[in-house]
Structure formats: C-alpha cells, structure tokens
Amino acid sequence: MAAPRRPKLPQVAYAFAPASVGNVGVGFDLLGHSLAGAGDRAEVRRIDEPVVRIAAIRGCVTELPTDPRQNTAGVALLALRKALGLQHGFELILHKGIALGSGMGGSAASCVAALVAANALLVQPLPRESLYGFALDGETVASGSRHGDNLGSMLLGGLVLATHERLLRIPVPADWHCALVHPHAVLETRKARAALAGHYALGEFVAQSSNLALVLAGCYRGDAALVREGLKDVLVEPRRAPLIPNFARVKQAALDHRALGASISGAGPSVFGWYDNRTDAETAVTAMQAAFAEAGLDSDGWVSPVDGPAAALIPSIDGAQA
C-alpha cells in the first residue's frame, strides 16, 4: 500500500502586519498595542538559492536598503534561515503602508509581515511566539536597540507586554478604543532615543513603575478609572515632547475629549489617546488633527480598538487583511 502523499508546500505567501502604538506611554520598550487600519504587507517566495533577496520595496516608503543585511525584514529572514538551518532561501517584496519615522512601528511591521509569510512556507511552521526572537534581530537594525513593544503586539494582536524573552497578551475591554494622529513629519527612532540620554531621578522610575502597574491592573480588571490614574508618562514624554511640533496642544485636545490618557506613540511624532468608547475617540481624532494644523502640519488619523488585530496571511500582496 502506497504511503500517503505529502501535501505540496506553497512557493509563495503574503502577509499583513498592522501598525502599532509602542510604549503606550508608561511601558517604555515593553508595552504596545496593535492598530487597525494601517500596516505593511510582504510577499515572500521560496527560492532554491540559500540566500535572502529583496526584490522590491514599494508603497509610501521606497528609499530603504535592499541589502538584506541592512534591512529590518531582511535581517529577520536571515536569522530565521540560520536558526533553522534551511537549505532554501527567500525572495521578499515589501509594500510599505506605514510612513518612515512615524512612531507607528513601521520597521517592526516589515519584520513581522516578512516572518509570518516566510513561516507559512516552512515544512513545519513555527508558533507565533517563536518568531519573536528573529523579529528582535531585525528591529535592532532600525533602532539600535533590541526591544519588542511593537513586535509583540503585531505578532499576537491587541495589548502585549514584551520582555526580551516573553510575550504576554494583556486583556482589554472590547469597548476601549485608541485615537492616533500622525502628523506629516519624520522623527527618526535613533534621534528620539538620543533625546533620552542623561540623568534620571530614582523618584521618576518609582512614579513610572506605579503608573505602569495601574494601567496593567486596570486592563485586567476592565477598570477605566485605574487606567485614567496611571496613563501618565513622567519618564520619557517630557524629554521627547520638544521634538514634536505643538505636542502640548495635541495632547490637550486628546484629554479634552475624555481620554483615559494620552502621550507619544512609539518614538513619535504620532500622538495617541485611549478612550473607553469609540465615539469619544472619533471626536478626539478631529480635534487632535486641528491642533497639528495650528502648527502648519497636515496629518492622518485612525480610530482602532485597543484590542487590535494581529498579523495575518492575506490572499495577495494587494489584497485586504484576512
């Protein structure tokens, strides 16, 4: 009796990775949540050559390195090949939907989309959590730091606590929404991280730790009052705020519409606010965009559940998220 024939492996796969809100104010390099509505797409093709090749970069950002050793997604795929000892290689086409230096996790989204697509081409695909280390390798190229606040939320969806070794999805009420506004300005991650150099008082760390604990407890308990008490960044925001035009007015616009809290998304210049309902978030986006307009900046705005989507396979690089 003939052995059952093994299903033929696909030769190409497509994936979408959503944008994200890194840090969520109080969780520097540790906490992030995904954002519905914006993201990067990747087409990954299995090739016989034992290499990683970037064939094209398209979309809203095209001036990125095509040398895989200098590209975040390329480095992630190189790390995957090396760790698994793969005999075959990958050819990658990236379609960027997240602007460069936006504070929306653009470099992370490229890593995650490429890894999710490549994983679908493996004989034994890995669990999502097992892709995290390879994504960290890629993210380091862009930021110079091995942090997973954006990566974790993209891989698992929703609000995720990301340490160097572990990803933990944090439950969030379905009604809670995020308003995020991206001004048409670039703030490079490395420049934003450089602004954090210098002395920090012990009291600042204690206050920030207290605020992070309140936010996490509030999410687990579905208690908006706890989140409102804790969602205040006293450590990073004061040092980065001068890099964002009219930041104080934009943040105040978010707070004026009953935000649970508001701060800088990732390294900036995007600004976000959390709300316990979608209606307030939608109204806040308009007010936040108006505040950026006062500084002469056009902007884009999104409203998304805080419990946002995870990266997913899609039918084509031009197709919608599955």
Side-chain angles (χ1 to χ4, degrees):
M1 184 175 179
R5 183 174 297 177
R6 179 179 294 177
K8 187 177 180 181
L9 284 172
Q11 296 301 301
V12 62
Y14 311 91
F16 173 88
S20 63
V21 174
N23 303 329
V24 194
V26 293
F28 181 71
D29 279 3
L30 293 172
L31 193 65
H33 73 82
S34 55
L35 186 83
D40 285 0
R41 288 166 280 163
E43 173 184 334
V44 178
R45 186 173 301 275
R46 180 185 172 120
I47 57 177
D48 292 333
E49 297 170 76
V51 298
V52 171
R53 186 164 58 233
I54 300 177
I57 301 173
R58 301 168 181 159
C60 66
V61 180
T62 57
E63 299 301 314
L64 293 174
T66 54
D67 181 342
R69 296 165 299 180
Q70 300 176 26
N71 181 286
T72 58
V75 168
L77 293 183
L78 287 168
L80 175 69
R81 281 199 70 253
K82 181 178 180 180
L84 300 184
L86 300 178
Q87 298 302 305
H88 65 82
F90 299 110
E91 183 177 87
L92 169 66
I93 295 175
L94 278 175
H95 194 289
K96 296 290 296 176
I98 303 174
L100 186 69
S102 62
M104 296 171 62
S107 59
S110 294
C111 287
V112 170
L115 285 167
V116 169
N119 193 46
L121 304 179
L122 300 180
V123 175
Q124 293 183 312
L126 301 172
R128 277 296 172 91
E129 290 85 346
S130 296
L131 300 178
Y132 180 46
F134 310 129
L136 282 172
D137 291 338
E139 178 75 330
T140 303
V141 176
S143 66
S145 174
R146 195 174 175 85
H147 60 276
D149 52 336
N150 294 301
L151 300 168
S153 62
M154 295 173 185
L155 284 166
L156 301 188
L159 180 67
V160 174
L161 183 67
T163 70
H164 284 170
E165 305 295 335
R166 180 186 292 272
L167 298 178
L168 179 63
R169 204 170 191 276
I170 308 298
V172 181
D175 288 342
W176 291 8
H177 279 71
C178 172
L180 183 137
V181 174
H182 167 234
H184 294 177
V186 174
L187 178 52
E188 294 182 0
T189 301
R190 290 177 183 266
K191 180 179 179 181
R193 293 185 83 85
L196 304 182
H199 173 74
Y200 291 79
L202 181 60
E204 291 178 304
F205 282 102
V206 173
Q208 191 83 337
S209 297
S210 298
N211 289 344
L212 174 59
L214 285 167
V215 169
L216 294 178
C219 290
Y220 270 100
R221 293 174 58 173
D223 188 334
L226 286 180
V227 173
R228 191 183 301 275
E229 184 178 348
L231 192 47
K232 301 176 179 69
D233 178 7
V234 300
L235 199 64
V236 174
E237 180 187 301
R239 293 161 175 82
R240 285 181 168 171
L243 302 176
I244 301 173
N246 222 25
F247 171 75
R249 283 282 299 114
V250 177
K251 178 181 177 179
Q252 190 59 51
L255 295 174
D256 286 345
H257 290 82
R258 295 176 290 278
L260 304 181
S263 191
I264 302 167
S265 176
S270 296
V271 179
F272 78 95
W274 270 20
Y275 299 83
D276 61 10
N277 65 87
R278 185 178 184 93
T279 300
D280 284 348
E282 289 174 340
T283 306
V285 160
T286 302
M288 293 162 72
Q289 289 186 282
F292 271 125
E294 292 173 5
L297 288 173
D298 292 331
S299 61
D300 299 306
W302 291 268
V303 172
S304 165
V306 174
D307 192 22
L313 295 171
I314 54 177
S316 73
I317 199 170
D318 297 318
Q321 182 185 1

